[in-house]
Amino acid sequence: MIIGVPKEIMHEEARVAASPEAVAKYVADGFTVLFEKGAGEGAFYHDEEYAKAGAQLIDGPKEVYDRSDIIIKVKEPLFNEKLNMHEIDMMHKGQYIITFIHPASPVNHDMVRKMAAQGVIGLTLDGVPRISRAQNLDALTSMSTCAGYKGILMAANDVASFLPQMFTAVGQIQPLKVMVIGVGVAGLQALATAKRLGAITYAADIRPAAAEQATSLGAKIVETGVPAELAIAEGGYAKHLPEEWLIKEREALKDAIKEMDIVFCSALVPGKIAPIIITEEMVKEMKPGSVIVDISIDQGGNCAITPAGKREVKHGVVLEGIKNIPGLLPKSSTWMFSQNMYNLVKYLVKNGQMHLDMEDEVCRKILVTQDGKVVHEGTLEAMGQ
């Protein structure tokens, strides 16, 4: 089979779907790898390294898309302004694409429908279940680690004060307060990073076990008021809450959020739109100069007014809606992503053919489009079907 690795075209995206190390593994396994020239430069991996690893270097994306059986990417297909055409329009019926599609997010619905209409078989990395046998396939966990770390550094750069307590010749400066909402992989890394920087940390999660993990990192827990039986889904994930309980959760967190200098949002429900936990009215009540980093933005965001893909100031609060925070750590995140992608391709390809076993939880949960249809459960629900 032929694997194609095009250059990412999302604004300021520096990652690439395969490192030279991963390319060498694909080639050793019998794959042909078509690599768009310059695709690794943002992550400080150079064309010579890819050529040495056995990749065929290709001048532009059209040939990569045209000749490949499987396209591996970091971000969802987008409109290529340079070529004046959408990446999906370069694809063909029966071709596979493996990437972060985030299909349930409303902003991606038209793209997903277009993918289905084109006959492309879409496999989304954010659908990989967090089960023990799928750990080394799970790029979402790897990228969440990057986002938790870098997201707090971004917030520290945005605030107008020191994070740690400071003793100066003119007096003492109190440490800032950081709250993490959604204490999964990203949230735990965010708490650890904020703690290392000297902030006072708080955490909120509807799952008791997640809150307990946050306590082990020194965070003070802000209770959400959501009963455990409503909060926990299969595999320990957070469950999609009914609107009445989301309202109660917002009410429970409102007073604490008002006191925070930084709020890091990473509350997600796998395969579904992210829950709105911070309303515009709640933002208006926050301290001037405070910061919200909303890494759930790929699935709609936890704050109602987070600008998708941008940093903006609204009601005196800095809102970070940048979609590719892991891309700001391109070397480390590309290396991690490449290993996950290689393991997933190896998992799916048997005897030189893609094998999608719908009895297998991994295959079932990552499949988005097939046979001209959208088949992903969370996406269909979000589309109202």
Side-chain angles (χ1 to χ4, degrees):
M1 296 187 84
I2 300 174
I3 293 176
V5 187
K7 181 179 172 63
E8 297 295 323
I9 60 171
M10 178 175 275
H11 181 60
E12 293 187 349
E13 178 56 77
R15 290 172 291 176
V16 63
S19 64
E21 179 185 342
V23 167
K25 289 182 181 180
Y26 288 123
V27 173
D29 288 345
F31 291 96
T32 297
V33 179
L34 307 182
F35 189 87
E36 184 179 349
K37 288 180 181 177
E41 292 297 325
F44 303 97
Y45 291 120
H46 307 299
D47 287 348
E48 313 87 76
E49 297 174 76
Y50 286 102
K52 190 175 178 181
Q56 294 182 26
L57 298 181
I58 307 297
D59 279 327
K62 281 188 176 180
E63 185 180 347
V64 174
Y65 281 101
D66 186 53
R67 290 176 53 195
S68 300
D69 300 303
I70 304 170
I71 293 292
I72 60 173
K73 283 181 93 281
V74 178
K75 300 302 292 184
E76 69 270 21
L78 299 166
F79 186 80
N80 188 318
E81 293 180 1
K82 193 173 179 181
L83 297 176
N84 198 33
M85 66 188 302
H86 203 284
E87 287 181 303
I88 290 174
D89 290 329
M90 296 185 230
M91 300 187 71
H92 52 266
K93 185 176 181 181
Q95 192 172 40
Y96 294 86
I97 182 168
I98 309 174
T99 186
F100 280 115
I101 299 173
H102 300 292
S105 180
V107 73
N108 290 331
H109 288 178
D110 286 345
M111 178 268 291
V112 171
R113 292 188 187 100
K114 187 180 180 75
M115 188 184 291
Q118 195 82 343
V120 173
I121 302 151
L123 305 171
T124 189
L125 295 169
D126 51 299
V128 174
R130 281 183 177 156
I131 54 178
S132 56
R133 65 186 176 86
Q135 283 183 341
N136 70 344
L137 319 175
D138 188 1
L140 183 59
T141 290
S142 294
M143 296 304 98
S144 294
T145 299
C146 299
Y149 168 77
K150 190 66 173 181
I152 290 295
L153 297 185
M154 288 164 53
N157 196 48
D158 285 333
V159 291
S161 307
F162 292 112
L163 248 73
Q165 187 175 41
M166 299 291 283
F167 296 93
T168 77
V170 291
Q172 180 183 335
I173 298 174
Q174 293 299 318
L176 297 188
K177 295 178 180 178
V178 175
M179 182 176 182
V180 171
I181 300 174
V183 193
V185 175
L188 288 170
Q189 187 60 237
L191 282 173
T193 304
K195 191 77 175 174
R196 286 194 291 265
L197 291 172
I200 300 171
T201 54
Y202 298 77
D205 198 296
I206 60 175
R207 300 163 296 168
E212 190 177 323
Q213 286 181 302
T215 305
S216 71
L217 289 174
K220 300 174 184 180
I221 301 304
V222 181
E223 297 295 340
T224 64
V226 178
E229 61 269 20
L230 281 177
I232 306 166
E234 179 189 354
Y237 291 108
K239 191 183 279 187
H240 188 67
L241 293 177
E243 184 60 28
E244 66 202 77
W245 279 102
L246 271 174
I247 291 169
K248 289 177 182 177
E249 183 182 4
R250 291 175 198 134
E251 195 61 33
L253 299 180
K254 184 174 69 173
D255 288 342
I257 288 172
K258 272 194 274 190
E259 299 302 314
M260 295 300 134
D261 300 287
I262 295 169
V263 179
F264 182 92
C265 298
S266 58
L268 288 172
V269 178
K272 299 186 186 293
I273 300 170
I276 297 294
I277 295 170
I278 302 175
T279 63
E280 183 167 9
E281 288 306 310
M282 291 165 73
V283 175
K284 287 178 181 177
E285 293 185 352
M286 290 178 70
K287 294 189 283 189
S290 53
V291 179
I292 294 174
V293 178
D294 194 348
I295 72 161
S296 297
I297 193 63
D298 273 319
Q299 287 175 229
N302 292 144
C303 175
I305 59 170
T306 303
K310 293 186 288 185
R311 174 193 181 278
E312 287 183 7
V313 179
K314 296 181 181 180
H315 309 300
V317 175
V318 178
L319 294 161
E320 289 280 8
I322 293 173
K323 284 192 165 195
N324 57 335
I325 293 175
L328 302 176
L329 286 169
K331 188 83 172 182
S332 294
S333 58
T334 287
W335 184 83
M336 295 170 77
F337 184 94
S338 298
Q339 304 307 312
N340 294 133
M341 181 67 85
Y342 169 76
N343 292 332
L344 181 58
V345 170
K346 192 168 185 178
Y347 184 88
L348 297 173
V349 176
K350 316 287 185 191
N351 300 318
Q353 294 294 322
M354 182 69 82
H355 181 68
L356 296 178
D357 177 7
M358 288 302 105
E359 298 297 312
D360 176 39
E361 185 181 0
V362 174
C363 296
R364 193 169 63 250
K365 291 192 172 177
I366 65 174
L367 185 63
V368 177
T369 57
Q370 189 180 42
D371 299 326
K373 298 175 185 174
V374 178
V375 297
H376 187 262
E377 184 182 337
T379 305
L380 292 170
E381 182 184 314
M383 289 176 171
Q385 297 178 30

